[in-house]
Amino acid sequence: MYHGRCTCDQTLYTPVQDILEYETKLFLHSSDISRYHNPPSEAGDQAWRDLYKFGVSRIPKSQAALMVNRTIAIPGDEGNYVVILNVFHDLHCLNKIRQALHPDYYNQSHVTNGFDHIDHCISSIRQSLMCSADVTPMVWTWDEEAQRTFPRSDTLHSCRNFEKIREWAKDNQLDRELILTVHVEDDLE
């Protein structure tokens, strides 16, 4: 498979832009079973959590200053700022939607103080899909046995190397609880 550094123009600064790399990935056929595609279970839940549980990261002030969207200094660690890469938020959201499909197993409310977590997640994932817009052509193939044509989902795609992004997030994981009730004054503009 092809592996190459990102030569694309990332228009907004991201703290991972130096490690972005593209690779060719074969998508699994929709009927293929993976650890993410099973009935609800503790093992399946853990596999999903392992995708994003480290997602809240700390970045130095110098990187926070380069971002268009401002973030906050970490209380008690004011030289560093908090971020979460959108991919980890979206994976969390996709997991919430997956859980909502099994209300008997998860038995949880998705609306808190008027905030509908599932509607928020659907909207967030929709916007991310439209923003990243995978333009890999889907193709059709003739099935001799069925004597008809079917779309193929097991095709090659050009993807950002998720493992490199995941490793960056693990290396930069926020190693303390973020205190949400403390505001830190800073000089970022």
Side-chain angles (χ1 to χ4, degrees):
M1 297 289 170
Y2 170 76
H3 294 275
R5 298 292 285 168
C6 179
T7 57
C8 58
D9 221 1
Q10 176 74 31
T11 59
L12 299 178
Y13 176 79
T14 175
V16 297
Q17 69 187 28
D18 292 339
I19 61 112
L20 286 182
E21 183 177 286
Y22 279 86
E23 62 184 349
T24 303
K25 288 281 239 194
L26 178 64
F27 278 24
L28 295 176
H29 190 278
S30 59
S31 65
D32 289 340
I33 300 297
S34 74
R35 62 181 173 220
Y36 309 109
H37 182 225
N38 285 305
S41 69
E42 183 51 42
D45 291 345
Q46 188 61 52
W48 275 92
R49 283 190 300 270
D50 287 347
L51 286 173
Y52 63 83
K53 68 183 177 186
F54 46 81
V56 179
S57 302
R58 62 194 280 272
I59 59 171
K61 182 178 182 178
S62 60
Q63 288 183 335
L66 297 172
M67 295 185 346
V68 169
N69 301 305
R70 293 294 174 226
T71 190
I72 61 164
I74 299 169
D77 187 14
E78 287 80 7
N80 290 295
Y81 288 66
V82 65
V83 296
I84 182 170
L85 299 179
N86 199 72
V87 64
F88 299 117
H89 171 258
D90 283 348
L91 286 168
H92 152 81
C93 273
L94 189 56
N95 191 28
K96 283 289 185 195
I97 295 167
R98 177 189 70 87
Q99 291 172 351
L101 295 172
H102 303 281
D104 293 339
Y105 184 84
Y106 292 103
N107 191 23
Q108 57 191 4
S109 173
H110 300 292
V111 179
T112 308
N113 298 324
F115 175 75
D116 188 324
H117 206 143
I118 300 303
D119 279 350
H120 154 80
C121 284
I122 289 170
S123 180
S124 181
I125 293 170
R126 176 191 54 80
Q127 290 176 81
S128 287
L129 287 170
M130 292 170 69
C131 179
S132 59
D134 183 348
V135 295
T136 302
M138 290 192 71
V139 297
W140 275 253
T141 188
W142 178 256
D143 185 313
E144 194 64 44
E145 185 177 316
Q147 288 293 294
R148 66 166 286 179
T149 299
F150 289 100
R152 288 184 55 189
S153 57
D154 59 339
T155 56
L156 292 172
H157 292 249
S158 180
C159 303
R160 286 184 175 155
N161 185 323
F162 181 72
E163 287 308 313
K164 282 194 170 248
I165 296 167
R166 192 174 151 176
E167 285 305 312
W168 179 93
K170 285 180 179 179
D171 291 346
N172 292 279
Q173 182 178 1
L174 184 62
D175 58 358
R176 62 179 66 205
E177 183 178 343
L178 182 61
I179 303 168
L180 302 175
T181 56
V182 174
H183 175 70
V184 177
E185 291 291 331
D186 64 56
D187 58 357
L188 283 183
E189 303 211 4

